[in-house]
Amino acid sequence: MVKQIAALEISNRYYKLVIGYTLDNKVDILYKVKKPLSVPFKDGDIFDIGSLADDLSKIKNIEASTKNVKTNINLNEVVLVLPPYGLQVYHSVKTTNTVSSVSKIDRIDINNALSLIKKEKIPNINDELIDIIPNKFIIDNDKTFLFPPLNQVSQAITIDANVYTLPKKMVSDMVKACENAQINVKREVIAPVGVSSLLTGTKYKYPIYVLVDFSNKTTSLSFIGNGVVYGSNFFSLGIDDLINKISSDLGIDKAKTEEIVNIFGLDNRQTSYNPTIAIGKDSIGIEKKYTKEDLVKVSLEFLKTWIDYFKGSLVNLVSTCAESLDSPDKIALVFTGEGTKLNGLKEYLLKVLTSNPIEFLSIPTICCREPEFANCLGAIYMASSYRGALEDENKQQVTQINRVIEDEESRFEVKREKYNELKDEL
């Protein structure tokens, strides 16, 4: 019997809940909802935990309808999707002797090795350990395994893993809001880590790519190689900033601005009929009629600024994560998030990023193809991939992710920070 999982993502303007399960390496969706926050926030800085808790309490009891059949869902626990704001990735290798008298590897040996990693001091005291994701397990005679080598005979076991941290305050505020809403956070999944896991499971065509989440108030970039997130950065510009600029420049109220942006976007096709699409006021308060051309002109001004920030973030991310990539001009860019719904955005990106392969993420999932739900789908997939008691015994448990074995064409050197074990070991 498949296990149903509820994934909750709290973003700057909305919270999203997706309930589903993984079957045959695909995520099937039973229910999804997106609701606005009473008090929006930005870049993970929550202004009002009480208000957020009140918002989340509304999804404790859900009435869902499927084929005219109503179902009541009591939401008690969730997998919490965390944004990658301030994400740090470290590389750690730890070895421990096996406990068994016959040197057979058991769960306790995996747990002991994980404990050595968890005991290491995090370089930034304001960060919190979120996950430990093993790259490989090594036993005697240098035998290597992608999954925990339970029942293998070895005198020692080594775990080569990536350690993921996020700012403590951001994480604790989100968890506290859930707890105040009487929703238990069973597990935390960092958004790009979950999405990369899902794409790896679907045998995504690009072994190396940058995942771009163009959301409401923020754009984040995450470097992914062979299914592993090696680094992330972000800048504070999103689709909301486009709407605010149009509203301000053309003197149109935000509700109407959002409506015409959703309808027309960057549609600059030339036609003989160019009707008024909105009425606003100029700088001195005189009423003025605006056409689609006016909308596109202001939109392109915003996107010029946005693309400048994007290119700077991309150069910094690639230079930090991959030594052998001389420039980011050839790396694949995979876009997701609310901003990707902007009509004409892909065509614009193809014109200004001429050498990069550009994809807009499309996940083959029934009833949930919208890119804005990708982070929740990734969290469901990742949370479904744990097996056995390892999940119950560790908060940062062993992640069962199928890795793509790199070939000569996809080989690259990764820059990874390492702990100083002599200095930082507790």
Side-chain angles (χ1 to χ4, degrees):
M1 182 177 179
V2 295
K3 184 177 181 181
Q4 297 178 13
I5 295 173
L8 173 66
E9 180 181 16
I10 306 169
S11 58
N12 293 308
R13 276 184 61 193
Y14 302 92
Y15 65 93
K16 304 161 198 167
L17 177 72
V18 178
I19 300 175
Y21 57 90
T22 300
L23 182 65
D24 297 331
N25 225 30
K26 293 182 180 179
V27 179
D28 290 332
I29 300 305
L30 301 173
Y31 177 84
K32 72 175 188 288
V33 67
K34 174 184 174 182
K35 296 285 187 181
L37 296 176
S38 299
V39 181
F41 58 89
K42 193 169 184 177
D43 302 345
D45 188 8
I46 297 174
F47 305 132
D48 191 337
I49 296 177
S51 173
L52 178 57
D54 290 340
D55 289 338
L56 297 179
S57 65
K58 297 173 184 176
I59 57 173
K60 273 283 294 177
N61 298 296
I62 304 167
E63 187 178 272
S65 297
T66 306
K67 295 181 179 179
N68 298 322
V69 177
K70 290 186 177 181
T71 305
N72 291 321
I73 302 173
N74 295 318
L75 189 67
N76 295 316
E77 62 180 25
V78 297
V79 174
L80 181 62
V81 182
L82 297 173
Y85 310 145
L87 174 65
Q88 296 294 328
V89 184
Y90 305 100
H91 182 226
S92 183
V93 179
K94 288 296 184 207
T95 301
T96 185
N97 293 327
T98 50
V99 174
S100 169
S101 59
V102 293
S103 299
K104 185 178 287 188
I105 297 174
D106 200 350
R107 290 183 179 89
I108 190 172
D109 302 308
I110 306 295
N111 293 337
N112 287 341
L114 285 171
S115 295
L116 291 176
I117 296 177
K118 288 194 288 185
K119 286 180 179 179
E120 292 178 315
K121 287 183 179 178
I122 296 173
N124 188 338
I125 61 173
N126 295 316
D127 286 349
E128 177 179 340
L129 174 64
I130 302 299
D131 221 340
I132 300 171
I133 301 184
N135 298 309
K136 58 186 176 181
F137 300 84
I138 306 169
I139 64 174
D140 292 352
N141 300 319
D142 291 330
K143 290 183 179 180
T144 301
F145 298 81
L146 297 180
F147 302 116
L150 300 176
N151 298 320
Q152 293 288 325
V153 175
S154 177
Q155 292 185 353
I157 180 169
T158 297
I159 292 184
D160 179 306
N162 287 341
V163 179
Y164 295 84
T165 69
L166 286 173
K168 281 182 182 178
K169 185 180 185 304
M170 179 183 74
V171 177
S172 63
D173 285 351
M174 289 189 178
V175 172
K176 186 176 180 180
C178 291
E179 291 174 347
N180 290 350
Q182 297 184 337
I183 298 174
N184 178 47
V185 176
K186 180 183 179 182
R187 168 158 172 72
E188 298 152 0
V189 173
I190 302 169
V193 176
V195 174
S196 66
S197 173
L198 176 60
L199 293 183
T200 300
T202 60
K203 299 180 180 179
Y204 196 57
K205 61 181 178 180
Y206 295 116
I208 304 171
Y209 58 95
V210 171
L211 181 67
V212 183
D213 192 341
F214 184 18
S215 62
N216 293 106
K217 296 178 180 292
T218 308
T219 301
S220 65
L221 295 79
S222 302
F223 186 96
I224 298 169
N226 299 322
V228 181
V229 177
Y230 287 105
S232 185
N233 62 21
F234 72 96
F235 58 95
S236 297
L237 279 179
I239 194 67
D240 283 1
D241 296 285
L242 168 62
I243 293 171
N244 290 338
K245 178 175 175 55
I246 295 170
S247 177
S248 175
D249 287 9
L250 304 185
I252 307 171
D253 70 80
K254 287 187 180 180
K256 182 63 178 179
T257 301
E258 193 163 356
E259 177 186 335
I260 62 175
V261 167
N262 290 337
I263 294 173
F264 299 102
L266 301 175
D267 184 3
N268 57 2
R269 291 174 294 178
Q270 299 297 318
T271 63
S272 58
Y273 181 56
N274 192 27
T276 298
I277 63 172
I279 298 176
K281 293 182 179 180
D282 62 17
S283 58
I284 58 175
I286 298 176
E287 192 173 271
K288 187 174 181 180
K289 296 179 179 179
Y290 294 105
T291 67
K292 186 176 62 176
E293 292 179 355
D294 299 308
L295 173 68
V296 172
K297 180 181 178 181
V298 179
S299 298
L300 291 176
E301 289 175 2
F302 166 80
L303 286 173
K304 185 180 185 302
T305 300
W306 182 87
I307 205 70
D308 287 341
Y309 277 95
F310 176 82
K311 287 180 177 179
S313 296
L314 182 62
V315 169
N316 290 336
L317 181 65
V318 172
S319 64
T320 301
C321 294
E323 291 179 337
S324 63
L325 296 179
D326 296 331
S327 74
D329 294 340
K330 301 296 183 182
I331 195 168
L333 305 174
V334 181
F335 285 81
T336 186
E338 288 88 343
T340 58
K341 294 187 293 185
L342 180 66
N343 181 28
L345 177 62
K346 187 172 184 179
E347 290 74 16
Y348 170 81
L349 293 172
L350 288 170
K351 289 180 181 178
V352 296
L353 302 170
T354 55
S355 59
N356 294 94
I358 293 176
E359 294 280 336
F360 274 33
L361 188 60
S362 177
I363 300 173
T365 301
I366 298 175
C367 300
C368 197
R369 294 181 179 274
E370 301 96 324
E372 59 191 311
F373 288 102
N375 294 336
C376 287
L377 296 179
I380 291 173
Y381 183 86
M382 191 169 179
S384 301
S385 65
Y386 295 102
R387 300 174 183 172
L390 291 176
E391 178 177 359
D392 299 327
E393 294 171 6
N394 296 281
K395 181 181 178 183
Q396 288 79 28
Q397 53 277 69
V398 177
T399 307
Q400 308 267 344
I401 298 177
N402 295 322
R403 300 296 190 191
V404 178
I405 304 301
E406 57 180 325
D407 54 26
E408 290 301 321
E409 293 181 355
S410 66
R411 190 174 301 278
F412 67 100
E413 296 294 329
V414 177
K415 292 181 180 179
R416 298 189 281 194
E417 296 185 50
K418 290 188 177 181
Y419 289 126
N420 182 330
E421 297 178 13
L422 295 177
K423 177 180 178 180
D424 289 337
E425 185 71 19
L426 287 177

